[in-house]
Amino acid sequence: MTRILIAEDEPGIVSFLEKGLQAAGYTTLAVTDGIDALSLARDEHFDLLLLDLGLPNISGHEVLRRMRSRGDRMPVIILTARTGVDDTVAGLEGGADDYVTKPFRFEELLARVRVRLRDVDTGTSTVLRAGALTLDVHTRRATNGDQFVELTAREFALLETLMRHAGQVMSREQLLSHVWGYDFDPGSNVVDVYVRYLRRKLGDDVVDTVRGMGYRLRV
Ligand code: CA
């Protein structure tokens, strides 16, 4: 039985999440407050936490900070209506495993939940490898051969997405929704810009352009 703790104070989102996750076979428990989330995460076993940032009493950021500082490694996916880069960086640096920007499609959230639960099941896929590249999604370290590579949070998220689908073509839309969230302008060229950044740091031959389709990490 896989148990998912939901910390979210908007009733509509809670029922949307609970219905969908229960239909997918998960057991859920929802709390509307950061303090309840912290005490439940400590006192009961959960496999994953879906954490809203804007919670009453203590914020999602603070919940995460306290969990990590007491050594709790439970996978955490942040649910956020905030789209600022600073929030994302703060979330990932604070020890979140992933984040989803509201509004989101349930299928997308479910895919991310499954990835995080698989990480826990196998205990190995927290380190991704492709060719000479290694990405540790917990410590947020990237290496190319034996060289450490400094990546921004967004570059890291883009590379992680490409590495999780190494050898497959990812469309711009897929990369936008994985890395930037749903309400991003689909006409934006931000994916192309960040692929250029990655090539600059990792070498031109790491990511292939597949004309008319998108990008593919070379394996
Ligand atoms: Ca909220």
Side-chain angles (χ1 to χ4, degrees), residues 8-10 52 54-55 102:
E8 166 64 67
D9 61 331
E10 281 175 57
D52 178 31
L55 286 174
K102 300 172 191 172

Side-chain angles (χ1 to χ4, degrees), residues 80-88 101-102 154 180-181 183-184:
T80 176
R82 305 172 188 177
T83 52
V85 172
D86 290 349
D87 279 313
T88 305
T101 309
K102 300 172 191 172
R154 212 61 105 160
W180 281 269
D183 42 5
F184 215 88

Side-chain angles (χ1 to χ4, degrees), residues 10-52:
E10 281 175 57
I13 297 178
V14 172
S15 95
F16 171 74
L17 289 171
E18 288 207 292
K19 263 185 224 150
L21 289 169
Q22 286 168 14
Y26 299 112
T27 302
T28 58
L29 184 68
V31 293
T32 56
D33 173 295
I35 290 172
D36 292 344
L38 263 179
S39 48
L40 272 164
R42 186 192 54 217
D43 298 340
E44 294 188 24
H45 172 77
F46 293 95
D47 299 281
L48 183 122
L49 168 63
L50 296 177
L51 180 62
D52 178 31

Side-chain angles (χ1 to χ4, degrees), residues 125-136 141-145 158-168 202 205-207 216-219:
S125 55
T126 56
V127 177
L128 304 174
R129 288 174 219 282
L133 292 176
T134 306
L135 210 58
D136 187 319
R141 282 177 71 91
T143 52
N144 190 13
L158 177 61
L159 184 60
E160 180 184 348
T161 303
L162 288 167
M163 285 181 77
R164 287 193 185 280
H165 300 86
Q168 301 168 26
L202 302 168
D205 56 351
V206 166
V207 181
R216 178 175 55 206
L217 192 88
R218 204 181 279 189
V219 281

